[in-house]
Structures are given as C-alpha cells and as structure tokens.
Amino acid sequence: YLGNYPDRPFFWAAYAHAMGNSSGNFKEYWDFVRAERQVQGGFIWDWMDQGLVQKDENGQEFWAYGGDFEPAGMHNDANFVLNGLINPDRTPHPGLFEVKKVYQDLHFSKVGKGEFELYNEKFFTDSSDSNIGWRLIEDGVVVKTGDVNVVADAQSKVKFSLKKQLSKLTKDKEYFVNFYATAKGQHPLVKEGHLLASEQILLQKGTPVPFSTNDSGKVSVDQKADSTVVSAGDALLTFDKAGYLSSYMVNETELIKEALKFNLWRAPTDNDFGGGPNALVYRAQLYKTATNNQQGQGVKLISSTANYAVLEQVVLLEEAESTVTYQYTINGQGELKIDVQFDFSGNPNEEVNIPGQVVKKWQKKPMKFSEIPRIGTNFQMPVSFDQVSYYGRGPHENYWDRKTSAFVGIYQGEVKDMAFDYIRPQENGNRSDLRWATLTNKDGLGLKISGNVFDFSTHHQPQSDFDPGTEKAQRHHTDIVKQDLVNVNVDFKQTGVGGDNSWGASAWKKYQLKPQDYKYSFTLTPIDEAPSYKTEQTIKIGTHNKL
C-alpha cells in the first residue's frame, strides 16, 4: 500500500490490540512508524475496558462483562469488550507503561564512552520545557545522580558528556545509567514534575558470583528406598522416590510446600485463546498434558566429597517427546545449584490434523509441536514466605516482547503485589531479566534465587487457578482467592504475549520458544536476613497506577 501511494500519509484505523495481557511487540510497530516517512501512527484498539460494577453473592464488587447480564443461552460477546489499556476506573494495565515509553518524544542513546545523545522528536518545540536528570545504578542501587543541561531543538540531536561523572566503575559490578525527563513548570495536561520520557542504558555488565563447592561445612547423602536425604550444613534436603526436591529444611524450618517440577505451560491469555481451533491454547495442549503427566525417574548420586554432592534426575515428558535432566549440586552451606537440560526429540516440522479445523488447499496444516508457552521450574513455599525482593525489570509486570518500559532495578514488596488482576483471569505478573529474587517470611528467613538472567513470578495461587481450560469461562478476578501457599515460577523464558490481535495472531516469531533443546541454571540459597535498601532507592513492586 505504501509503495502504491508514496505521497499519501498513512495511519492505522486500529492496531496493537490490547485485550487482556497483551500489547506485546509494540516497540516494533513504532520502529516501523519511525522508519517510514508516510506512517503517522494509529489508533490502539482499545483505550478502556468496558466493564460495569456488579456485586457477587458476598457483596464483593467486580467488573461485569458480556454474559453477566443476559439470561443463560443468550448471545453475547463475552469479554471482548475488555480490550483496553486501562480498567473501567481508569487505572492502567501494565501494557500502558509500554505505550507511554514507546510514544515518548525525547530519546537518549550512548554514542561513546561516557558520551550520550539526546534526540528531540517533536516537530515544533525544543526540549527546554523538560528537566533532565540522570542516575548511576550500581548492582541495582543508585550511587550517583546529576542533571543534563542541554536543549535539543525540534527534530534535532545534541550530544553531552558524563565522562567525569561515570569514570570510576568498579570491576565485576553491573552499571546502568537512567535518564529521566520531567515537566518543567505547568504543561497543558500534566503537572510539574510529571515524567515525560525515560531511558536505561547498560554501561557495564556484572560478573555473577560463581557457585562454590569449596565452602566449609559437611555434606552427607543418605539414599533410602523411597527417598534421598542430603545433609548440608544447617540444611536438610529430601528428594522423593521420583527424584523431585520435596523438602528443604533449614534450621528445622520447612521452605518447600510442593516439590520442584518442570513446567511448559502458562494460564492462557486472551491472545492465546484467539484463532478458534488454531489458537495456541489448542495447538500447545500437549505441553500442558506433558507437564501434568511428567514422570520423574528417581535421583542418583553422581559424585560427592565431604563438602559437596552432585545428584541427577531425569524427567520424562512423553507427550512432548522430550526429557529434562536436572543436575543438583549441593555445597556445605546448604546452597543448591540446579542445572536444567531440556532435550527435545520430536520432529518440529511434523504436521497434524486438529479436530474441527478445516484447512483450505492454500493453507498449511498446523504443526504438531507449536511454540512452547513457557520453559521453567515451578514449586511452592509455605504462605508465610510472602515478602519478596528482586533485582530485574520492574516495577510493573513485563514480558519478553513487552519490557522496554520496565527498567532493571531492585524492587521490594509482598507476593500479592506481584500479580495484576485482569478482569478475566489469565497469565499475569511475570518479571523479566532477573539477576536474583528473595522470598522470605517477616523474620527474614527464606530463599534467595539467583541466576544468569531469568524470568520470575510468584502468586498466592497455583497456575491452575488462572487456567479455565480450552474454553474461556465466565470468571472474574474475585474468583481467584488467596490460597495457603506461595507459588513460584523460575523460568528460562515465556513465549511473548503478542499484541497484533486476539483472533488468531501469535506472538512474533522472534519472541517464540521454538520446539528445540534448551538449558539454563539457577541457584537456591537459604538466607536468614532479607535484603534491605533505602526507600528512595528502591521502588515498591506493583506500582501499576503511577504513570
């Protein structure tokens, strides 16, 4: 179209469908807008979820939608009116943070060592109506701050230097510089100090602390007929007959409620339900079945000394034609390093017939093995371990294809703050690119999870509570009640949430977990004191309503 009418402006009447947990690949839309002279942008479908307040039998308010008003059997569009960037009360969805970030008019980039550039994308006004500040972030903590005293003319770039301010970076530590442009004086629509633009730029990668097998502390392994028990310092780890870690006792306090198990599934999003018989919720069902039917083959001792032990568990995922190998290394401090190897042996090009689907002559048959919704490990802790801190992207929910607005930092709060209550319950609450996370009780006792960048989520409900099955159910966030547990996902990654539409489009290919081999690792470390940081340096998890 653009090639046929090179002199005509173009904008989408509707694009970037925002239904439920969506708004993925939004940055890519605007990479296209900014690369094509004719393209002006478009109208996101939609601005606001169109729900109405009702009360359930307990008097609790919820947002009602299609099906909540009509008599049974009457036609309705279910939750298709819930396709906005904000709730009916105007509180934002996490996706709105991404829209704001991508839409910003001021852009910061690194052009040399300590040298940066400000580009003002506005057509008619310079950047003098903004105050610009910077923060140097060292391993998630603000260590320096300052101002940028330059003005960029409309449609112009200006360079500035922070060489002196950023000259001394400590070896092995991770550094980012964050830029913030805020409203100077009174703007037409926002108050003074309102955030107008922001950017995070990596200056130096950190060096993860290696897992040590030379620590003091004794390790012993007792292999029984129905379990394997490892004593390591103050910790006692029990692997059940199938080889799953079912107990992690530290100073006689149990840290595990449900065993660590491999997971290929997520509760379907509205986009996962889109597309009728060819929807991901159908195409990917074998991964859910394989997860639920996984068969641990026991655990065996690979090697040991007085200071460490290495055990191995193989898990069969029959329906996914795959196996997972868990290698557990336990040192004398009771730390547990978990190396995960996912081996896919199926044929990724195998076609399949889906019941009820009519394939036209010009259409390709769907593949037996779709993209994998998630690759990770799931376990549960007792409900008292509800204090959470993490060093990764936040503070709001973010995913592989929707995370440019979520800066790497240290965020603290409670497990309940990690969730986002979409009106129709679905997958929610993920955080990307974590370096570490802690889950502790109010006394500071708990677990630290660390690794070389992983995804993380935690709820007071198991994943199954958010999953209605292969058909959408007439449910609301009030149906998802707090359970006596802390559910934890430590993931290699999730397939992106997508954002093109909710009636057939998948996540973009570059954001899909293809059926193939994967490996990753993470470490569980018992801790007796939760990390604490100055409140002005640490943002509370779940600040969804502050743009």
Side-chain angles (χ1 to χ4, degrees):
Y1 179 86
L2 295 179
N4 293 334
Y5 303 95
D7 296 322
R8 293 188 181 184
F10 172 88
F11 63 91
W12 289 285
Y15 82 122
H17 199 245
M19 187 174 179
N21 191 348
S22 187
S23 302
N25 56 258
F26 193 70
K27 175 184 178 294
E28 281 77 9
Y29 273 120
W30 275 77
D31 288 344
F32 171 70
V33 172
R34 289 173 168 127
E36 297 291 340
R37 183 183 65 87
Q38 295 169 257
V39 185
Q40 297 178 329
F43 296 95
I44 296 173
W45 189 351
D46 204 355
W47 169 238
M48 183 179 68
D49 284 347
Q50 297 163 63
L52 299 174
V53 174
Q54 282 194 359
K55 292 183 179 180
D56 62 20
E57 60 273 14
N58 299 316
Q60 189 174 12
E61 291 186 344
F62 65 93
W63 296 114
Y65 56 87
D68 290 321
F69 308 100
E70 300 83 7
M74 294 293 290
H75 175 76
N76 64 79
D77 278 342
N79 71 319
F80 207 79
V81 294
L82 306 178
N83 48 20
L85 289 166
I86 61 174
N87 284 329
D89 63 358
R90 280 46 168 188
T91 55
H93 288 197
L96 185 56
F97 289 86
E98 192 76 359
V99 172
K100 176 180 178 176
K101 173 68 173 64
V102 173
Y103 274 178
Q104 68 187 32
D105 291 319
L106 300 181
H107 305 274
F108 302 88
S109 59
K110 183 181 176 184
V111 294
K113 189 173 182 180
E115 301 287 341
F116 301 91
E117 186 174 77
L118 167 63
Y119 168 51
N120 177 12
E121 194 178 21
K122 292 185 285 187
F123 285 99
F124 306 109
T125 59
D126 64 27
S127 64
S128 61
D129 61 351
S130 300
N131 289 314
I132 300 175
W134 60 268
R135 299 176 191 171
L136 180 63
I137 315 294
E138 178 189 88
D139 286 345
V141 177
V142 178
V143 292
K144 283 185 181 180
T145 63
D147 298 319
V148 177
N149 296 311
V150 297
V151 174
D153 292 332
Q155 290 285 292
S156 298
K157 299 176 181 178
V158 60
K159 290 182 173 63
F160 59 94
S161 177
L162 296 178
K163 278 186 177 181
K164 291 182 179 179
Q165 296 91 326
L166 307 179
S167 59
K168 296 181 180 179
L169 302 183
T170 304
K171 184 181 178 182
D172 297 331
K173 291 185 178 293
E174 184 171 54
Y175 288 92
F176 292 91
V177 60
N178 292 359
F179 293 101
Y180 301 93
T182 57
K184 182 192 296 185
Q186 193 68 33
H187 281 232
L189 297 175
V190 298
K191 296 179 180 179
E192 183 175 1
H194 184 85
L195 181 64
L196 300 174
S198 59
E199 191 59 73
Q200 181 171 72
I201 297 172
L202 177 67
L203 298 179
Q204 177 177 294
K205 290 185 177 180
T207 303
V209 178
F211 182 81
S212 175
T213 55
N214 299 317
D215 291 334
S216 60
K218 300 297 182 181
V219 176
S220 63
V221 181
D222 182 12
Q223 293 184 290
K224 303 176 183 180
D226 60 350
S227 64
T228 298
V229 180
V230 181
S231 176
D234 295 327
L236 198 67
L237 296 84
T238 301
F239 298 84
D240 64 20
K241 188 174 182 178
Y244 296 108
L245 178 65
S246 57
S247 176
Y248 202 155
M249 296 276 290
V250 178
N251 291 325
E252 300 184 350
T253 299
E254 180 60 74
L255 303 180
I256 298 292
K257 184 178 177 70
E258 289 289 338
L260 275 72
K261 290 193 174 183
F262 193 66
N263 184 24
L264 293 166
W265 187 247
R266 71 180 180 204
T269 66
D270 284 310
N271 289 345
D272 292 341
F273 272 112
N278 200 36
L280 183 64
V281 70
Y282 293 109
R283 292 186 291 114
Q285 272 296 306
L286 63 84
Y287 298 121
K288 179 179 181 179
T289 305
T291 297
N292 292 337
N293 294 344
Q294 62 183 281
Q295 303 168 50
Q297 303 299 294
V299 67
K300 61 181 180 180
L301 182 64
I302 301 299
S303 62
S304 65
T305 69
N307 302 113
Y308 76 91
V310 181
L311 296 88
E312 186 176 275
Q313 177 201 26
V314 175
V315 179
L316 300 183
L317 298 158
E318 186 175 344
E319 292 82 0
E321 298 184 26
S322 305
T323 60
V324 180
T325 302
Y326 277 93
Q327 188 173 93
Y328 303 99
T329 305
I330 304 131
N331 67 18
Q333 301 302 307
E335 293 180 296
L336 173 62
K337 183 174 185 285
I338 304 175
D339 293 290
V340 187
Q341 175 70 49
F342 174 71
D343 293 308
F344 175 74
S345 58
N347 176 6
N349 298 315
E350 183 179 352
E351 295 179 342
V352 66
N353 291 315
I354 297 177
Q357 184 186 51
V358 178
V359 180
K360 308 292 186 183
K361 290 183 179 180
W362 50 269
Q363 290 178 318
K364 290 184 178 180
K365 285 186 178 180
M367 298 293 104
K368 178 178 180 179
F369 297 100
S370 72
E371 62 269 33
I372 304 172
R374 136 192 273 152
I375 292 177
T377 297
N378 173 264
F379 63 97
Q380 292 179 14
M381 298 178 69
V383 71
S384 60
F385 296 93
D386 62 351
Q387 306 298 300
V388 60
S389 300
Y390 73 87
Y391 177 32
R393 291 190 180 272
H396 51 276
E397 167 196 276
N398 54 89
Y399 289 83
W400 191 6
D401 58 351
R402 198 190 73 216
K403 64 181 183 180
T404 67
S405 62
F407 289 179
V408 175
I410 295 175
Y411 304 98
Q412 294 181 300
E414 298 182 25
V415 167
K416 64 180 177 62
D417 301 323
M418 291 284 286
F420 185 81
D421 294 330
Y422 291 99
I423 295 176
R424 188 195 70 78
Q426 56 196 276
E427 157 64 32
N428 72 90
N430 188 70
R431 303 302 194 276
S432 303
D433 298 339
L434 266 71
R435 284 69 168 156
W436 57 257
T438 65
L439 287 158
T440 67
N441 60 21
K442 289 182 171 60
D443 295 325
L445 178 66
L447 281 176
K448 180 178 182 179
I449 307 162
S450 54
N452 187 20
V453 186
F454 58 95
D455 277 20
F456 171 74
S457 60
T458 181
H459 296 82
H460 281 302
Q461 301 87 7
Q463 173 178 268
S464 57
D465 278 16
F466 298 95
D467 185 354
T470 55
E471 301 293 334
K472 288 186 181 182
Q474 194 71 24
R475 299 203 302 165
H476 312 84
H477 74 87
T478 51
D479 297 319
I480 309 300
V481 299
K482 180 181 178 181
Q483 304 292 327
D484 190 28
L485 57 89
V486 170
N487 190 65
V488 184
N489 288 303
V490 182
D491 295 331
F492 168 76
K493 210 178 286 301
Q494 275 193 56
T495 279
V497 293
D500 293 339
N501 64 52
S502 298
W503 49 90
S506 301
W508 285 27
K509 287 185 178 181
K510 68 179 182 178
Y511 296 123
Q512 292 179 9
L513 291 170
K514 298 296 185 182
Q516 61 187 35
D517 295 349
Y518 294 93
K519 63 180 179 180
Y520 70 104
S521 64
F522 60 97
T523 298
L524 301 180
T525 303
I527 56 175
D528 56 14
E529 184 176 354
S532 180
Y533 301 91
K534 295 178 181 179
T535 55
E536 67 267 19
Q537 295 179 337
T538 307
I539 303 173
K540 188 178 186 298
I541 292 167
T543 48
H544 300 289
N545 60 344
K546 294 181 180 179
L547 285 171

